[in-house]
Amino acid sequence: MAVYRAEWVLPVAEAPIRGGWVAVEDGRIAAVSSTPTSGATDLGSAVILPALVNAHTHLELSYLRGVVPPSSRFLDWIAAIMAARRRYANPHDPVIVAAARAGIEEAHASGTGLVGDVTNTLVTVPLLLEASMAARVFYELLGFNADDPAARVFQARAAVGAHPADGDLRCSVAPHAPYSVSPGLFAAIREDLESHPGDISTVHLGESPEEIEFLAHGTGPWRDLLMTLGAWSDAWKAPGSSPVQYLADLGFLDSRVLAVHGVQFDGEDLARLRALGTTVVACPRSNRYVGVGDPPLEAFYAMGVKVAFGTDSLASVGDLNMFTELAQARRLGPRVPARALLESATLGGAAALGFADEFGTIEAGKRGALIAVRVPANVGDVEEYLLTGIEPAAISWLDSESSQLPASNSQ
Ligand SMILES: [Zn+2]
């Protein structure tokens, strides 16, 4: 058994513990307490917290870091990304694989222990396994005029294979977005979800103003792009509703689906999502990068919606550090309690991805996936401090081999 003591312990399930300790045995948390103990490894001026959860990323796009600059217009950014992705016809190109592998290492080094990874190629599956990074892998389908949605999903399910629903790597099928997936394909994916009770799905929803226009009137840049790509379907009629209402009416949204982005969600959307139990995954840095605006974070929390955070891919964000994402969330939501933001980046993401029994809090029985962050001596509000943008140099993983914190260079 290893016992770690630190100035602070942040169990997430309860208030921060001053001078607490955590015992880990056989990879599981055995106890967390503030009673005096002997024989603990003293981490000093640090806070022990559960590994962070990045609920939305696309590790296979890591090779696109910095390739397309920030945009003020979403469709311009999309067109540039599509062009960049065409440069490598082979999804297993060594450039793509090496960048994805480095992305996983980068996420780990910044304290992330569980990811929700969206992939169109499944190229990241062996890389996540090799790195022992726990993950919900979403095999993402697109098809606005797909001929046989059931066959598409059948093929996807076969490709996803038989990763156990309680393993460290759990694969599911997911639709991309309302403007790129037909109602029939949504229905087929939902049917697949129904027949796999342990599965979780996800969808990009309410990201851009162009998506709002497309669903309201069937017009605008999304329709133009679908026409250009030969992907338009004359059978599709604009629902005349918001993205949330549209997918709720299709029966797609519930507590097993993560709605990613939500920049355009209004109060009615949020009330509906709260009633459905759907988690909203906010990716505020990416939203700004691609030119869709800022998510209404304070409204998410004020309306009582479940919230998680994601970095999105390195194509639209500078790093995979969830602490940097949290710092941006703090800037956008200055009135959201620090504890709520930290809970979203840990338990919120773990629960949304179907890993609440393993990750997200420091509680006896859960995985000993713990990190320590160096904090200044006598830090006033340790939760608020964790929202200031923690760098990897101040983060260490607690495991049997390395209980020493790296030397600090920032405090
Ligand atoms: Zn995404």
Side-chain angles (χ1 to χ4, degrees):
M1 169 142 40
V3 181
Y4 304 98
R5 189 207 166 276
E7 194 60 30
W8 295 97
V9 173
L10 200 75
V12 176
E14 52 182 300
I17 301 170
R18 187 90 199 244
W21 54 266
V22 184
V24 180
E25 187 164 31
D26 296 332
R28 298 264 157 198
I29 296 163
V32 52
S33 176
S34 61
T35 57
T37 182
S38 60
T41 301
D42 194 351
L43 303 175
S45 194
V47 51
I48 299 172
L49 68 157
L52 300 189
V53 180
N54 185 345
H56 183 81
T57 185
H58 306 242
L59 291 163
E60 72 188 8
L61 301 184
S62 296
Y63 73 104
L64 294 173
R65 176 167 6 209
V67 167
V68 175
S71 172
S72 58
R73 190 174 167 273
F74 186 51
L75 269 287
D76 292 345
W77 190 83
I78 290 286
I81 282 293
M82 287 172 68
R85 288 189 80 173
R86 282 194 287 268
R87 283 215 304 261
Y88 295 99
N90 173 13
H92 296 270
D93 189 284
V95 171
I96 293 177
V97 171
R101 187 177 275 131
I104 295 168
E105 283 169 19
E106 178 178 323
H108 178 80
S110 53
T112 293
L114 169 66
V115 297
D117 182 40
V118 180
T119 173
N120 304 122
T121 64
L122 297 173
V123 66
T124 50
V125 168
L127 306 179
L128 289 160
L129 287 169
E130 158 196 302
S132 300
M133 172 67 86
R136 167 73 59 181
V137 174
F138 299 108
Y139 190 26
E140 180 190 71
L141 302 183
L142 293 91
F144 199 72
N145 58 0
D147 280 342
D148 190 346
R152 288 285 309 282
V153 174
F154 184 80
Q155 283 166 5
R157 173 54 56 183
V160 153
H163 296 283
D166 58 355
D168 266 6
L169 191 129
R170 308 175 189 179
C171 283
S172 314
V173 182
H176 173 252
Y179 48 80
S180 56
V181 171
S182 66
L185 188 49
F186 272 114
I189 294 171
R190 183 68 219 187
E191 210 167 295
D192 177 77
L193 194 59
E194 296 298 337
S195 55
H196 295 87
D199 272 15
I200 301 283
S201 195
T202 189
V203 62
H204 297 90
L205 201 64
E207 184 174 12
S208 66
E210 292 87 347
E211 177 183 337
I212 301 297
E213 180 188 356
F214 182 69
L215 294 180
H217 309 295
T219 55
W222 272 122
R223 182 186 177 121
D224 297 344
L225 183 60
L226 289 170
M227 304 276 265
T228 306
L229 296 172
W232 174 254
S233 167
D234 280 328
W236 190 80
K237 299 286 173 257
S241 56
S242 77
V244 169
Q245 168 115 46
Y246 175 49
L247 290 197
D249 290 349
L250 288 179
F252 189 75
L253 296 178
D254 67 1
S255 61
R256 296 169 63 197
V257 177
L258 284 64
V260 179
H261 295 310
V263 177
Q264 316 299 328
F265 290 171
D266 63 17
E268 217 170 295
D269 294 327
L270 295 173
R272 196 177 298 269
L273 292 171
R274 182 186 55 205
L276 289 164
T278 302
T279 297
V280 176
V281 183
C283 309
R285 288 187 299 162
S286 170
N287 297 149
R288 200 169 270 199
Y289 193 101
V290 303
V292 296
D294 292 330
L297 265 189
E298 294 196 336
F300 291 174
Y301 287 93
M303 292 292 291
V305 176
K306 292 192 257 183
V307 182
F309 286 103
T311 57
D312 217 337
S313 81
L314 284 171
S316 61
V317 76
D319 61 51
L320 296 177
N321 185 347
M322 284 291 294
F323 283 107
T324 324
E325 204 66 46
L326 278 170
Q328 178 67 359
R330 167 44 90 221
R331 281 189 283 275
L332 297 182
R335 287 175 296 188
V336 180
R339 189 166 303 170
L341 294 174
L342 290 166
E343 183 174 333
S344 290
T346 50
L347 182 59
L353 295 173
F355 282 82
D357 292 344
E358 297 281 321
F359 289 89
T361 62
I362 303 181
E363 287 179 276
K366 284 203 186 183
R367 194 83 59 98
L370 305 173
I371 57 172
V373 173
R374 183 173 290 283
V375 299
N378 301 317
V379 64
D381 183 336
V382 72
E383 292 171 304
E384 201 60 56
Y385 180 79
L386 290 171
L387 305 177
T388 58
I390 305 297
E391 296 292 335
I395 301 167
S396 63
W397 283 86
L398 301 192
D399 55 43
S400 47
E401 288 115 288
S402 61
S403 57
Q404 295 308 306
L405 280 173
S408 166
N409 55 11
S410 56
Q411 279 100 42

